[in-house]
């Protein structure tokens, strides 16, 4: 009689309606197809997920599969088991060139290039992309048409022109555009200009050792943002990040444009319809004074524990492949607006006519794979947009807190962007130095390094610093 194989899977509970129900249903379906395999899925706190895994690793109870937020990759790479060995191993290397595992087709070669590149290092797919998003522009077409605007803006200059048109609309909103003061949009704005958040080719040519928050690309973004605000076009809600506040401003028609995640497509479309106005979805506006360099992505990926016995390892890999079968990936997209991860899932959605019925959902897919139509023709003739070089470095949450606070001071206090971001860069450098000292030399764990979003976690009353961090440090020693 074969021994039962148990695969523990930890995922951040994103708290969307039915989110964990879907995870448990996927596990049940896999178990039905694979008698003798038990998949135990646990939902964990999104904000502190890496800290929870780290605590478990220090106690010798880490899961076989763990789903990390996209910019926590360096933390996952540096995480150690109780014996000091790497906690995770490469998904691609564990697959070892196989085309199927326990009957489940291997799909890693079918992953969309932009996601495969983000979660790879030196060509090796280290973790399996699971949730994919990018940044988009949402527009109230009723307000735009009333202002004489017939096309969505795709560049910063075009956004300026549309904002001026909205400002001149009799009885129009007090502001034209809004977005959350969140690190995602800094990453996107820097990426489309070809810039990097840290040195070492954004941490891809070796461990990042230098912060780069005062780069020309970052300052161009901050200056443009400040000008929009100074002219009364940008609505700043005076809160970081305030996703809900910017969403309300759009659905209440207090702005005509909102930049947000592609994950918001379903919510934005429903909000527009519920409030009786038209909506259109477009790409994240880019700086057309420099070549268009690519597109940033966000989301999550699933990491495979190192040192599993062969049966557990293969069951875990088979479950990963099952999760990314065309039907599973397509259904995740339908439910939560996430970009389908594989070509096969995209083709399935196309065959079924999903994008014909829901054209808003096609924009994100095109945005990560094609040059915008107004990019110079010589660029458009290339075979798709080259994947942007996603940043890989430690204490990303702390870094993000630094950049958003800096921009908050620019908007709310009138701070000079060049001066304020130079200060932010120095602060981010101290965080990066502290993280590298921890990861490379066993120094104390930095205050922010294992939070997904330190600022948000702290504001929500989830400041684990004093007790939890001290306990983990003791256990790791």
């Amino acid at each position: 009689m074969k021994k039962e194989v148990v695969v523990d899977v930890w995922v951040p509970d994103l708290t969307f309606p039915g989110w964990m129900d879907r995870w448990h249903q996927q596990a049940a379906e896999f178990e039905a197809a694979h008698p003798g395999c038990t998949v135990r899925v646990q939902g964990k706190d999104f904000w502190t997920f890496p800290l929870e895994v780290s605590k478990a690793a220090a106690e010798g109870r880490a899961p076989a599969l763990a789903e990390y937020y996209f910019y926590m990759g360096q933390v996952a790479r540096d995480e150690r088991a109780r014996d000091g060995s790497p906690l995770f191993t490469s998904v691609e290397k564990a697959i070892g060139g196989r085309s199927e595992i326990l009957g489940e087709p291997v799909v890693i070669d079918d992953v969309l290039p932009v996601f495969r590149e983000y979660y790879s290092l030196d060509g090796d797919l280290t973790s399996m992309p699971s949730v994919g998003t990018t940044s988009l522009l949402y527009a109230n077409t009723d307000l735009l048409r009333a202002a004489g605007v017939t096309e969505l803006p795709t560049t910063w200059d075009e956004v300026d022109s549309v904002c001026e048109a909205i400002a001149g609309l009799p009885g129009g909103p007090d502001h034209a555009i809004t977005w959350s003061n969140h690190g995602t949009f800094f990453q996107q704005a820097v990426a489309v200009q070809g810039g990097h958040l840290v040195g070492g080719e954004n941490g891809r040519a070796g461990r990042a050792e230098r912060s780069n928050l005062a780069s020309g690309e970052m300052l161009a973004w901050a200056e443009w943002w400040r000008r929009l605000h100074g002219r009364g076009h940008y609505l700043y809600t005076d809160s970081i990040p305030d996703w809900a506040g910017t969403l309300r401003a759009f659905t209440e028609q207090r702005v005509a444009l909102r930049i947000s995640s592609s994950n918001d497509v379903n919510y934005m479309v429903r909000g527009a319809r519920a409030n009786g106005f038209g909506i259109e979805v477009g790409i994240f506006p880019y700086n057309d004074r420099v070549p268009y360099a690519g597109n940033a992505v966000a989301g999550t990926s699933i990491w495979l524990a190192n040192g599993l016995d062969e049966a557990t390892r293969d069951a875990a890999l088979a479950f990963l492949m099952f999760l990314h079968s065309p039907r599973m990936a397509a259904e995740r997209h339908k439910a939560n607006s996430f970009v389908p991860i594989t070509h096969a899932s995209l083709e399935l959605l196309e065959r079924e006519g999903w994008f014909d019925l829901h054209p808003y959902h096609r924009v994100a897919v095109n945005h990560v794979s094609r040059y915008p139509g107004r990019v110079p023709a010589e660029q458009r003739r290339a075979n798709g947009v080259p994947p942007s070089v996603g940043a890989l470095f430690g204490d990303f949450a702390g870094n993000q807190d630094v950049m958003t606070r800096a921009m908050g001071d620019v908007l709310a206090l009138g701070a000079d962007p060049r001066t304020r971001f130079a200060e932010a860069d120095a602060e981010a450098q101290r965080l990066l130095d502290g993280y590298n000292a921890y990861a490379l030399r066993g120094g104390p764990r930095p205050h922010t390094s294992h939070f997904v979003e330190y600022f948000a976690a702290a504001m929500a009353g989830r400041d684990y610093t004093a007790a939890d961090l001290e306990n983990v440090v003791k256990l790791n020693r």
Side-chain angles (χ1 to χ4, degrees):
M1 182 175 179
K2 293 179 66 175
K3 182 181 178 181
E4 179 189 31
V5 176
V6 177
V7 178
D8 284 306
V9 182
W10 287 12
V11 301
D13 184 352
L14 302 185
T15 69
F16 298 130
W19 182 254
M20 291 310 303
D21 292 340
R22 188 172 297 109
W23 266 107
H24 293 305
Q25 179 62 35
Q26 290 170 155
E29 291 180 19
F30 179 81
E31 290 172 347
H34 296 271
C37 289
T38 298
V39 177
R40 299 189 302 207
V41 177
Q42 293 187 49
K44 301 290 184 178
D45 184 87
F46 171 79
W47 310 111
T48 59
F49 183 85
L51 181 58
E52 292 298 316
V53 175
S54 187
K55 290 167 59 180
E59 296 168 358
R61 54 180 182 86
L65 295 172
E67 186 179 38
Y68 277 70
Y69 198 47
F70 72 108
Y71 56 62
M72 301 303 291
Q74 189 65 58
V75 168
R77 291 177 186 279
D78 291 333
E79 196 59 73
R80 291 293 179 265
R82 186 160 50 180
D83 63 4
S85 63
L87 183 62
F88 298 110
T89 190
S90 159
V91 166
E92 185 168 5
K93 289 176 180 175
I95 289 171
R98 289 176 285 178
S99 60
E100 60 86 22
I101 300 173
L102 303 186
E104 299 291 342
V106 171
V107 300
I108 61 172
D109 290 336
D110 194 44
V111 173
L112 297 179
V114 67
F115 295 108
R116 175 160 186 135
E117 286 295 317
Y118 192 95
Y119 297 105
S120 295
L121 186 62
D122 298 328
D124 173 51
L125 184 64
T126 314
S127 57
M128 187 66 187
S130 47
V131 164
T133 67
T134 189
S135 301
L136 298 176
L137 177 75
Y138 298 88
N140 180 324
T141 53
D142 289 12
L143 288 173
L144 262 60
R145 301 299 180 261
V149 177
T150 58
E151 293 186 4
L152 264 59
T154 61
T155 69
W156 294 358
D157 284 348
E158 290 172 359
V159 169
D160 290 343
S161 297
V162 171
C163 288
E164 291 292 343
I166 293 297
L169 179 64
D174 291 337
H175 304 277
I177 190 169
T178 193
W179 62 84
S180 300
N181 184 5
H182 188 272
T184 293
F185 306 123
F186 293 80
Q187 295 168 56
Q188 178 81 340
V190 169
V192 297
Q193 298 177 81
H196 295 155
L197 294 179
V198 289
E201 294 295 313
N202 243 3
R204 300 291 177 157
R207 180 179 290 271
E209 296 181 343
R210 296 300 307 172
S211 172
N212 199 29
L213 289 192
S215 67
E217 294 83 7
M218 180 67 80
L219 290 175
W221 162 247
E223 288 281 8
W224 177 66
W225 189 347
R226 178 178 72 157
R227 286 197 303 274
L228 282 177
H229 181 254
R231 293 169 182 169
H233 299 321
Y234 171 78
L235 170 65
Y236 185 45
T237 63
D238 295 318
S239 182
I240 301 174
D242 201 14
W243 295 97
T246 62
L247 174 60
R248 281 195 302 272
F250 183 81
T251 57
E252 292 170 0
Q253 303 192 69
R254 291 186 282 119
V255 294
L257 301 168
R258 180 188 183 225
I259 293 173
S260 191
S261 168
S262 60
N263 171 235
D264 271 357
V265 170
N266 284 345
Y267 298 113
M268 294 290 280
V269 171
R270 289 172 192 160
R273 289 173 177 168
N275 289 279
F277 63 88
I279 187 172
E280 191 172 343
V281 183
I283 68 170
F284 180 92
Y286 60 93
N287 182 1
D288 57 354
R289 288 176 170 77
V290 297
Y292 188 91
N295 193 63
V297 296
T300 58
S301 70
I302 300 177
W303 292 74
L304 175 70
N306 186 32
L308 298 173
D309 63 82
E310 183 177 344
T312 304
R313 180 203 65 194
D314 282 359
L317 287 170
F319 182 58
L320 266 186
M321 298 306 106
F322 174 79
L323 289 175
H324 292 79
S325 63
R327 173 56 59 195
M328 286 291 183
E331 291 304 318
R332 268 195 305 278
H333 163 76
K334 290 179 180 180
N336 297 107
S337 308
F338 295 131
V339 178
I341 293 296
T342 64
H343 291 286
S345 59
L346 277 175
E347 291 163 3
L348 175 61
L349 290 163
E350 291 280 13
R351 286 197 307 272
E352 294 181 342
W354 168 259
F355 291 119
D356 294 331
L357 293 173
H358 305 87
Y360 307 111
H361 289 279
R362 195 191 299 270
V363 179
V365 176
N366 291 344
H367 196 20
V368 298
S369 57
R370 302 179 188 175
Y371 281 105
R374 296 174 203 176
V375 160
E378 59 270 19
Q379 280 190 276
R380 293 200 308 274
R381 282 193 288 269
N383 294 322
V385 179
S388 63
V389 182
L392 183 64
F393 64 99
D395 211 342
F396 212 134
N399 180 285
Q400 181 167 265
D401 178 46
V402 168
M403 67 175 79
T404 54
R405 283 191 287 106
M407 196 66 215
D409 288 347
V410 170
L411 297 172
L413 304 179
D416 173 68
R418 189 170 297 275
T419 301
R420 186 63 184 85
F421 274 86
E423 295 169 354
D425 189 46
E427 185 179 356
Q429 185 64 53
R430 290 191 292 272
L431 291 177
L432 184 57
D433 290 343
Y435 178 84
N436 285 341
Y438 151 74
L440 297 176
R441 297 184 291 278
R445 187 189 300 266
H447 186 75
T448 54
S449 66
H450 281 58
F451 291 119
V452 171
E453 291 185 15
Y454 169 70
F455 187 88
M459 291 300 97
R462 297 186 176 93
D463 193 343
Y464 287 55
T465 306
D468 281 293
L469 287 180
E470 182 59 26
N471 287 338
V472 172
V473 169
K474 288 178 181 177
L475 286 167
N476 279 336
R477 289 173 180 164

